[in-house]
Amino acid sequence: MWTGITSPLIEDLSDSMATVIASNHVVEAMYRTTEMGEGALGTRNFNKRLLGINYIVKGERFYIMLNNNAAIIGGDNQVENGIIHLVDKVIDPSLKNIPELIQTTGFFKIFTSAMNLTGFADSLRKHLDESYDYTQHTILEDIRFPQYVLYPPETRYFKYTGFIEPDEVFDRYGIHNIDDLISFAEKWYGTEEKGNYKNPKNSLYKFVAYHFVERELPHNKIVPYNVYHHFEEYFPTTYDRYDYFETMMGTIMKVVKPLSTPDGRDTYINYSKRKQPFNTEMLSHINVRIIPLTEFVKMKGVYAEFDQMASNGIIHPIDKILLYNEDEMAGNILNERIRIDLLSLIPELSSNNARYSPEFYCLPDIYSEKVKIRSGIVSIYTHATSYNMDLIALRGDYDIEFTLPPLPPRVYEIRLGFNPHSHDHNGIKRGQIQVYIDGKVEGMPFGEIDDYTGRIEDSETYDNGVENDKLMRSLGWMKAPLVYLNGHFVPARHDPYFIRRIITKKYLDTESHRIRFRIIGNYYDDPYQQMDYLEFVPLHIINDPAKPEDRY
């Protein structure tokens, strides 16, 4: 066992070891078995580790597995202060980090060779920022709910998620060893720094780096799905759910749960509904399926005991070779309206279970390398009635700047989805938002509750809002999309409390870009503003009269 103790007698355990074992079995939240979806529990255990969830069938019985190790054999035992689930084994979390787990599985051998040859394993060993002390940062009352206190995230872990091809996937492509993979990588990524495998410009290094993101993503949080069962009623099941993450190659990947298609039961990387890719050779490298652990452990006997939960992240097996191709991303995968949740721009939240968490948090100014908080207070919420189930709130004399993800170079219309009426406190002025991109002012200030948007509800127009949409656009506004519902189960488009602001049209090149939101104007004691997501829309999507932009 991982403790190093082989005796079956509990008295042979030290007090500290017994505490560690007990802490692995307890989470500070109540979960019934009906709330345990494929992926991980929404709350970490007392050792700050996620408990992975998958399912197996033995004989005629169905079991929920914890870390693919311990089966729940007697669930949902209600006690005074929680729920007890009986398990058949001690929950045994892996002490291996991401590279160690990949190297020791026995069926990621080709990828292991590539990871070792490039030295990329050394980029995946960070675990904890021991200099971070959450008690040294602001703790405050929640302006919306005074009975709550907002704490900074308790930890600052470094976590990783790897999307990895088992050897049998490489075999299907005629890749049987590291030399084959080097030739394959050079075909797709070129021969710059040929043979210098530890150089980030080398093709094999790029191949490996595109498989990792710097955040911890259990299966049900790659895109939020069944994270909290009672939240699902606010999200129509006929609309796709998706997100975008910067990879360790410095490029972007799109993850999708395509609920509007027959593929909707699964989650994919770089998914496209088009029958033909932009680059015909990419046909076998798009729509890469992330294999759920429940399915993977049944595919082969050697996979049966695979535990995907490393000490500093998660490994997901995939069913195709994953590649980044600039032409394919620009011409197909990302040739669309790109809607990115603002909290997706902060990878540290996912690595510390602060995203999609039942807790509310305030964000210290030093917490993320992707965010610069110049002033004010920034808080984050898991929130059913918002896009992708969460939002960010800015309070006080706020001034915050985000690093944007690397998008294909082109001119975009850039928009902000936010709530201009959120908790307006009897009409107290909350100031206006000024946006800057790369240090330059973009567009006019906006965001006060009395801004004129020109909005008329669709049902009050003769053409279901078509002409009103044009009027609103001329004033710099758009109604919210249909993909999520308000607290009364009405699509956000039909609720005036949700809206999109058209910020600017701007060319974004391949360099790093930053967007800044700053409060200006006259406001009273404690201004408060909720923001939800950004949209980056290629101009041809807006300007095509034959195919108007959809309302989703």
Side-chain angles (χ1 to χ4, degrees):
M1 195 166 111
W2 61 270
T3 59
I5 302 295
T6 57
S7 169
L9 302 177
I10 194 169
E11 54 264 30
D12 288 337
L13 290 174
S14 66
D15 289 347
S16 60
M17 218 30 112
T19 299
V20 170
I21 293 173
S23 296
N24 281 326
H25 291 69
V26 182
V27 298
E28 196 172 2
M30 293 197 300
Y31 292 94
R32 293 175 175 80
T33 53
T34 55
E35 299 174 292
M36 296 182 183
E38 175 94 27
L41 292 182
T43 307
R44 295 184 294 186
N45 67 21
F46 278 25
N47 284 331
K48 310 302 180 188
R49 296 284 297 274
L50 290 177
L51 292 179
I53 303 292
N54 64 291
Y55 316 116
I56 66 168
V57 175
K58 290 184 179 179
E60 296 182 354
R61 287 202 62 182
F62 169 89
Y63 294 94
I64 297 173
M65 301 294 292
L66 302 173
N67 289 357
N68 196 34
N69 164 255
I72 295 178
I73 55 175
D76 301 321
N77 298 286
Q78 188 83 40
V79 294
E80 182 178 356
N81 64 339
I83 297 174
I84 294 175
H85 305 284
L86 303 180
V87 294
D88 67 346
K89 292 180 183 177
V90 172
I91 298 174
D92 187 7
S94 174
L95 297 182
K96 297 174 182 176
N97 61 29
I98 285 281
E100 291 169 343
L101 190 57
I102 294 172
Q103 291 162 353
T104 57
T105 56
F107 43 79
F108 293 131
K109 292 179 181 177
I110 296 175
F111 194 90
T112 293
S113 297
M115 192 171 60
N116 292 340
L117 186 59
T118 58
F120 199 81
D122 294 335
S123 302
L124 301 168
R125 299 190 191 279
K126 287 197 301 183
H127 181 56
L128 176 65
D129 179 0
E130 296 185 355
S131 68
Y132 173 75
D133 180 358
Y134 82 99
T135 65
Q136 301 303 308
H137 299 281
T138 303
I139 299 172
L140 68 154
E141 290 184 354
D142 185 351
I143 192 172
R144 303 184 316 155
F145 308 109
Q147 69 270 31
Y148 291 117
V149 176
L150 294 176
Y151 292 92
E154 188 174 340
T155 58
R156 190 170 184 266
Y157 283 107
F158 302 102
K159 298 290 183 81
Y160 309 91
T161 298
F163 302 98
I164 313 298
E165 302 90 344
D167 293 331
E168 66 170 316
V169 172
F170 283 120
D171 286 341
R172 291 205 309 266
Y173 289 77
I175 298 172
H176 308 295
N177 53 51
I178 186 60
D179 292 330
D180 292 340
L181 183 55
I182 290 171
S183 297
F184 178 84
E186 289 179 350
K187 171 188 173 182
W188 286 99
Y189 292 105
T191 57
E192 187 175 4
E193 294 294 334
K194 183 179 176 69
N196 188 7
Y197 299 112
K198 295 186 179 182
N199 190 302
K201 295 181 180 180
N202 175 268
S203 59
L204 187 65
Y205 190 101
K206 290 180 179 179
F207 177 85
V208 173
Y210 190 64
H211 286 67
F212 292 96
V213 296
E214 293 180 276
R215 59 186 79 208
E216 186 174 41
L217 299 171
H219 198 274
N220 55 339
K221 292 185 180 181
I222 299 171
V223 290
Y225 185 76
N226 275 339
V227 177
Y228 300 103
H229 287 254
H230 60 286
F231 277 20
E232 288 299 316
E233 59 189 346
Y234 295 99
F235 294 86
T237 58
T238 54
Y239 300 146
D240 300 341
R241 298 187 194 174
Y242 48 88
D243 213 334
Y244 305 84
F245 302 130
E246 182 174 354
T247 71
M248 295 182 73
M249 180 184 165
T251 53
I252 198 167
M253 68 166 55
K254 179 183 178 182
V255 290
V256 185
K257 192 170 185 64
L259 295 173
S260 66
T261 77
D263 297 327
R265 64 181 295 272
D266 286 309
T267 305
Y268 294 81
I269 304 171
N270 297 341
Y271 185 83
S272 172
K273 295 180 181 179
R274 296 179 175 91
K275 293 182 180 179
Q276 289 295 327
F278 185 82
N279 178 342
T280 55
E281 289 188 272
M282 281 292 292
L283 184 60
S284 57
H285 301 292
I286 60 174
N287 298 3
V288 177
R289 189 168 70 94
I290 301 169
I291 307 173
L293 186 61
T294 293
E295 177 185 342
F296 186 69
V297 297
K298 295 187 294 185
M299 291 171 62
K300 277 188 173 183
V302 69
Y303 300 160
E305 296 184 1
F306 174 54
D307 179 8
Q308 65 184 155
M309 312 290 287
S311 63
N312 66 338
I314 296 177
I315 299 166
H316 294 286
I318 55 178
D319 73 339
K320 296 179 182 179
I321 294 181
L322 179 62
L323 287 174
Y324 179 83
N325 179 264
E326 290 183 0
D327 291 339
E328 189 63 33
M329 298 301 281
N332 181 11
I333 306 300
L334 300 178
N335 188 21
E336 62 180 5
R337 176 188 55 227
I338 299 170
R339 181 181 295 140
I340 302 179
D341 195 292
L342 280 166
L343 295 188
S344 293
L345 302 179
I346 313 176
E348 292 86 353
L349 298 180
S350 297
S351 295
N352 291 276
N353 205 45
R355 191 173 186 199
Y356 310 128
S357 168
E359 305 296 330
F360 297 165
Y361 294 101
C362 54
L363 195 64
D365 56 351
I366 65 163
Y367 196 73
S368 175
E369 296 177 356
K370 300 292 186 180
V371 180
K372 181 178 181 61
I373 302 172
R374 300 170 186 268
S375 61
I377 296 169
V378 178
S379 51
I380 57 175
Y381 302 90
T382 299
H383 198 277
T385 59
S386 58
Y387 177 68
N388 267 1
M389 301 186 186
D390 55 17
L391 52 81
I392 190 166
L394 308 179
R395 177 177 168 187
D397 187 23
Y398 60 79
D399 188 345
I400 183 171
E401 188 173 50
F402 296 87
T403 299
L404 296 179
L407 301 175
R410 55 166 59 114
V411 178
Y412 294 95
E413 181 173 275
I414 302 174
R415 309 167 182 160
L416 172 70
F418 75 113
N419 183 351
H421 298 265
S422 57
H423 305 276
D424 58 24
H425 302 287
N426 298 317
I428 291 177
K429 285 187 174 295
R430 298 169 303 152
Q432 292 187 303
I433 305 165
Q434 180 62 66
V435 179
Y436 305 76
I437 297 179
D438 299 331
K440 296 181 179 180
V441 171
E442 297 289 346
M444 297 294 291
F446 63 93
E448 196 56 85
I449 58 174
D450 56 359
D451 281 342
Y452 177 66
T453 66
R455 187 187 187 283
I456 303 174
E457 174 53 42
D458 293 347
S459 61
E460 298 175 8
T461 67
Y462 72 92
D463 59 357
N464 195 32
V466 173
E467 289 300 318
N468 184 239
D469 284 352
K470 294 177 182 178
L471 170 63
M472 290 185 67
R473 280 192 58 85
S474 72
L475 297 170
W477 299 97
M478 294 179 67
K479 294 171 184 171
L482 291 165
V483 293
Y484 60 98
L485 310 181
N486 68 10
H488 302 286
F489 304 102
V490 174
R493 176 179 170 85
H494 303 305
D495 187 334
Y497 282 75
F498 300 94
I499 202 163
R500 288 177 279 186
R501 174 66 175 181
I502 301 171
I503 297 170
T504 189
K505 293 181 176 67
K506 191 174 184 67
Y507 179 77
L508 299 181
D509 57 22
T510 57
E511 300 300 315
S512 178
H513 298 281
R514 298 180 71 85
I515 188 167
R516 175 184 174 193
F517 301 99
R518 176 181 170 229
I519 188 173
I520 64 171
N522 297 319
Y523 52 89
Y524 289 89
D525 293 337
D526 205 2
Y528 177 89
Q529 185 64 261
Q530 290 180 349
M531 298 183 182
D532 199 349
Y533 56 88
L534 291 167
E535 292 181 342
F536 302 87
V537 190
L539 293 190
H540 72 85
I541 293 177
I542 302 165
N543 297 334
D544 185 356
K547 190 179 180 182
E549 182 182 353
D550 65 54
R551 294 180 171 184
Y552 304 136

